[in-house]
Amino acid sequence: VNLTQDDVQEILRLLDASPFDELQLETDRFKLTLRRATAGGWTQESRTLSAPRPLPAASAPGVSAASGPLAAGSPPSAQPASPAAPAHAAPAARSPPVGVVDVCTPIIGTFYRAPKPGAPPFVEVGSRVEADTVIGIVETMKLMNSVYAGARGEVVEICVADGQFVEQDQPLVRLRRADQ
Amino acid sequence: VTIRRVLIANRGEIAVRVLRTCRRLGIESVLAASEADLHSTAAKLADWTVCIGPARSASSYLDVAAVMGAAVRSAADAIHPGYGFLSENAALARACREARIIFIGPTEEQLAAVGDKLEARRHALAAGLPVVPGGSVSTPDEAASLAHQIGWPVLIKAVGGGGGRGMKQVHDPSQLPAALELAMAEANTAFGDPRVYLERFVASGRHVEVQLLGDGSEVVHLWDRDCSIQRRYQKLVEEAPAPDLPPRLRSAMHAAAVAYGRRLHYRGAGTVEFLVDRAREEFYFLEMNARIQVEHPVTEAVTGLDLVAEQIAVAQGQQLRIRQEEVRISGHAVECRLNAEDSAHDFRPSPGTVTHALLPAGEGIRVDTHIEAGSAVPPYYDSLLAKIIAHGPDRAACLARLRAALVNCRIEGVHTNLALHSAIAASDEFATGGVDTGFLARFLRAQQSEVDREQGG
């Protein structure tokens, strides 16, 4: 059993009255370090050492096959959906031809080609863009970040499908620059 | 009914928080986790973990069928939905009822009633609660006469909007027709619904909310919280009780919240949010949140109650275990939300891996978190890393503990907004108490101009 917040407070009350400045506790389930802080009070650092225990696939834990409400098996919806596509495509290894530039995502996240589901995409192959044209959105931690073309030109390739996960600096679209 | 096994359909700090109460009560826990969270702290602490789908929450934490499948498969008697995700989803509550699994939350009807803005407002009026003066408008003439009646300035709001989206301030009567036309066109584009309504604009408002607990017949309030320190409608610092609130207002708000809960025969933990007009010393109903809230620990600190345990008790059909006259508050509590965002660079999100997590401890300090050294902070979900909660016998003592606690906090591997919290905790305006919802924007502008001045000189 891991320590509760109340347990930690109890230990700290004992420590406060003691000459000790540090306490380390380690079991096979957790590791906790308490240190007296120079600014007053204490600091805590903890690591949970126990491993996750996946639910056995066949039947529920602690429920025998005879009495388990679902001994017959799991409904299909309980299975994790297999990802439709690889989690993320590797950034394009090939370097762009002369006069062509990659517009890359400044941030890791999910790429969206349109402002909302069902809406027309910001850009298509053949779209003419200015430096401040939005070419897509990258969603990170529930925040929508607009990605700008950064140069004047024409979209020659869409590198990432809508809804796909992108790594930082991964190319999203390619432009043929107008000033080349 | 006794709940013996709970499926926790959430992640992050709230999953760890719910796990803690389950363990204390001797209830087995099964964590429903996405593929991104299979090695999270919550997964390590839970009795069992079941994968409910890929990282994207639309196919995991927001998928009613996936969550129900996990509950059935793990033979859970109940589902705790936490906050966000499916916590206020009537379809999940209905699926639970059909599968004879307890939904730890209100009824489908209550979720539907508070989930629709106009319906929630209708209930507020019927229960005798004050709402922001206003109403729906569709022509410039209607808008002009309503604005004249409620007083200037006014706010045009999209019926389909929310979270600060689809709002327009109008200060000059001559600009109202054009602003209305634009607002309707934008609402149609953004939300597929051109309907708008007009409201009195409260120039300086506070966000004060009242915590309710109901068992389906009886409703009690557990005092109030002030959540006025917000950035772009996201709460950053919360406290209980609300500081510097006229006693007449406070007791009227408590009574109003209870009246609202009674009208719905509310079951579970819920929060009635109010806008307090500082100049007029009036309050208006905003909405009800039918779930446990992120900021619930400040209420727990001052009341000594475990709100998750009370949620579980009423969900399994018990009557409220506390009467109104037994609710007493002690001292003052403040919570800081530590987020993985770079407050030095326009709050840019900062996913990654935590390499070091030194957190405060000691008398009056509580930390609710799911992060420790080695924890992943995935880009798919919100940026909340930890909540630092300080409690003291009065507000000044509480703030002194909070400031020391923030000094004793160090997180490495991802950027955080820790420095901003320290700056807020050190500010005189916050120390005085009772700031309005415009405080943080002003504070950030002042900080920025100070930085600019230093760089200029």
Side-chain angles (χ1 to χ4, degrees):
Chain A
V1 171
N2 285 288
L3 290 180
T4 66
Q5 210 114 19
D6 288 343
D7 296 332
V8 173
Q9 297 291 16
E10 201 64 40
I11 294 168
L12 285 176
R13 263 192 283 277
L14 296 172
L15 276 180
D16 252 333
S18 81
F20 301 110
D21 291 332
E22 182 169 326
L23 174 78
Q24 284 200 26
L25 277 173
E26 185 165 357
T27 72
D28 54 351
R29 293 181 62 90
F30 69 91
K31 183 176 166 182
L32 173 73
T33 308
L34 297 168
R35 280 192 202 95
R36 205 185 288 270
T38 45
W42 293 79
T43 64
Q44 56 175 323
E45 242 177 317
S46 64
R47 293 293 292 268
T48 308
L49 301 176
S50 49
R53 290 194 289 168
L55 188 76
S59 69
V63 178
S64 75
S67 66
L70 257 195
S74 356
S77 53
Q79 302 299 331
S82 55
H88 52 81
R94 65 220 155 85
S95 57
V98 177
V100 174
V101 290
D102 287 335
V103 181
C104 300
T105 172
I107 197 162
I108 184 173
T110 305
F111 176 62
Y112 296 107
R113 288 192 56 198
K116 62 174 185 174
F122 289 104
V123 292
E124 299 275 15
V125 170
S127 297
R128 304 207 165 264
V129 297
E130 300 294 327
D132 61 356
T133 303
V134 173
I135 60 98
I137 290 172
V138 175
E139 179 189 6
T140 305
M141 302 183 120
K142 292 168 78 180
L143 281 177
M144 301 295 178
N145 305 279
S146 298
V147 181
Y148 299 93
R152 194 161 157 244
E154 182 188 332
V155 176
V156 293
E157 187 184 341
I158 309 284
C159 312
V160 180
D162 187 61
Q164 205 174 316
F165 191 77
V166 290
E167 297 287 350
Q168 190 167 340
D169 299 327
Q170 184 175 335
L172 300 174
V173 303
R174 283 191 156 177
L175 305 180
R176 179 172 297 114
R177 293 180 68 125
D179 48 3
Q180 293 288 318
Chain B
V1 201
T2 304
I3 293 173
R4 279 176 309 210
R5 185 179 292 159
V6 169
L7 182 86
I8 299 169
N10 214 299
R11 63 177 308 282
E13 68 85 20
I14 193 65
V16 173
R17 162 72 189 88
V18 174
L19 275 168
R20 199 161 59 225
T21 289
C22 287
R23 182 141 307 164
R24 187 169 68 74
L25 300 176
I27 296 172
E28 258 191 288
S29 55
V30 183
L31 183 77
S34 77
E35 285 168 11
D37 288 327
L38 290 176
H39 301 282
S40 63
T41 305
K44 291 173 187 170
L45 291 172
D47 293 316
W48 304 96
T49 297
V50 56
C51 182
I52 51 165
R56 264 183 85 171
S57 32
S59 327
S60 51
Y61 297 111
L62 288 171
D63 184 338
V64 173
V67 168
M68 285 310 296
V72 170
R73 189 176 143 207
S74 57
D77 326 292
I79 295 179
H80 196 300
Y83 52 66
F85 295 130
L86 294 175
S87 58
E88 292 177 276
N89 187 294
L92 179 64
R94 188 177 321 119
C96 280
R97 179 171 52 76
E98 285 162 1
R100 293 167 164 266
I101 289 171
I102 294 170
F103 176 73
I104 302 179
T107 65
E108 298 151 58
E109 294 77 17
Q110 289 159 359
L111 287 171
V114 303
D116 180 279
K117 232 179 289 185
L118 295 176
E119 185 71 356
R121 189 181 154 105
R122 192 178 67 74
H123 281 293
L125 290 169
L129 272 65
V131 298
V132 182
S136 56
V137 290
S138 52
T139 67
D141 285 348
E142 276 175 22
S145 89
L146 186 59
H148 178 71
Q149 195 187 320
I150 62 181
W152 290 87
V154 295
L155 203 58
I156 305 175
K157 281 181 162 180
V159 170
R165 300 192 312 146
M167 300 205 302
K168 221 173 260 309
Q169 286 177 29
V170 189
H171 292 261
D172 181 347
S174 70
Q175 283 164 5
L176 184 61
L180 180 72
E181 194 183 342
L182 186 63
M184 290 175 69
E186 283 182 1
N188 196 33
T189 310
F191 313 111
D193 180 356
R195 291 179 302 155
V196 297
Y197 56 100
L198 199 73
E199 264 182 19
R200 174 187 282 171
F201 173 67
V202 175
S204 174
R206 291 172 62 181
H207 176 119
V208 178
E209 56 188 33
V210 177
Q211 176 69 55
L212 293 183
L213 201 58
D215 61 12
S217 57
E218 197 45 47
V219 175
V220 297
H221 73 82
L222 305 178
W223 282 65
D224 44 83
R225 295 185 287 259
D226 190 314
C227 313
S228 300
I229 302 191
Q230 306 181 356
R231 182 179 169 270
R232 297 190 180 165
Y233 300 93
Q234 295 296 311
K235 296 168 186 169
L236 202 63
V237 179
E238 303 102 340
E239 56 187 303
D244 194 27
L245 199 63
R248 174 190 66 82
L249 267 191
R250 193 189 305 276
S251 53
M253 288 165 77
H254 291 174
V258 169
Y260 196 78
R262 287 229 165 96
R263 176 174 169 84
L264 297 179
H265 302 286
Y266 193 76
R267 184 193 70 199
T271 298
V272 181
E273 296 191 340
F274 294 106
L275 173 65
V276 174
D277 186 329
R278 288 214 304 187
R280 293 183 175 94
E281 289 208 356
E282 287 175 22
F283 68 90
Y284 314 111
F285 169 84
L286 287 179
E287 61 175 5
M288 179 168 190
N289 297 318
R291 54 162 195 272
I292 191 86
Q293 304 240 147
V294 176
E295 59 271 24
H296 77 276
V298 290
T299 296
E300 294 186 328
V302 296
T303 60
L305 293 168
D306 177 340
L307 291 190
V308 173
E310 299 310 315
Q311 281 188 300
I312 291 172
V314 295
Q316 62 189 11
Q318 285 174 255
Q319 290 184 341
L320 283 181
R321 301 186 289 190
I322 183 160
R323 292 198 306 266
Q324 189 64 64
E325 57 271 25
E326 294 167 337
V327 178
R328 295 245 159 69
I329 61 160
S330 151
H332 197 91
V334 175
E335 169 182 283
C336 292
R337 298 192 191 187
L338 272 189
N339 294 334
E341 55 187 20
D342 189 352
S343 45
H345 291 98
D346 197 30
F347 296 87
R348 184 177 159 144
S350 181
T353 301
V354 172
T355 52
H356 200 74
L358 195 68
L359 294 163
E363 197 184 352
I365 299 299
R366 164 176 170 183
V367 180
D368 278 19
T369 186
H370 59 296
I371 61 148
E372 47 188 45
S375 290
V377 181
Y380 314 100
Y381 313 112
D382 70 33
S383 60
L384 183 60
L385 293 174
K387 304 185 305 204
I388 312 290
I389 303 113
H391 180 216
D394 56 41
R395 192 166 184 271
C398 165
L399 291 185
R401 278 184 181 158
L402 178 69
R403 291 184 198 108
L406 291 171
V407 170
N408 290 339
C409 192
R410 203 169 83 235
I411 291 169
E412 288 169 12
V414 296
H415 292 286
T416 76
N417 57 358
L418 177 62
L420 175 61
H421 280 297
S422 300
I424 293 171
S427 85
D428 291 337
E429 199 180 344
F430 175 59
T432 304
V435 300
D436 71 354
T437 52
F439 164 77
L440 190 61
R442 290 193 303 271
F443 186 76
L444 290 169
R445 272 198 302 274
Q447 268 199 325
Q448 189 55 50
S449 56
E450 202 161 302
V451 169
D452 292 346
R453 233 190 346 265
E454 277 168 18
Q455 284 171 351

